[in-house]
Amino acid sequence: MRGRREGSRLRPTHRSSGAGAGTTAQVTVTPRGEGAMVRFHQEPLPDAAARADRRRHRRAVTEDVVNSLMPQGS
């Protein structure tokens, strides 16, 4: 864990197998009305293809989290 801000931010280091130094992912949660906004940032990534891959992954995970929090039948 590279850093954290209690209640709002985590900055873990992610290392793929066989990778060198890895990347730092940042997850920030900010209260918004009755809910919250979750933001993701990750660096460094090697190229546009890697950024697009991470974006797809984060959107899929976010969709899974939202769906798991929704009442059944909504």
Side-chain angles (χ1 to χ4, degrees):
M1 186 68 57
R2 292 183 61 97
R4 70 184 174 101
R5 186 175 300 158
E6 189 67 35
S8 67
R9 183 173 296 160
L10 292 175
R11 295 188 74 220
T13 298
H14 172 74
R15 288 185 180 85
S16 298
S17 60
T23 65
T24 298
Q26 181 169 291
V27 182
T28 306
V29 179
T30 307
R32 288 286 189 260
E34 303 258 336
M37 178 190 320
V38 179
R39 286 184 264 174
F40 299 95
H41 179 75
Q42 189 170 0
E43 62 180 46
L45 292 170
D47 54 30
R51 287 188 293 279
D53 179 63
R54 293 287 80 204
R55 191 175 306 113
R56 279 189 298 274
H57 172 74
R58 289 187 298 265
R59 285 183 177 158
V61 169
T62 300
E63 186 174 309
D64 288 347
V65 169
V66 168
N67 289 336
S68 73
L69 295 173
M70 297 296 288
Q72 295 297 321
S74 293

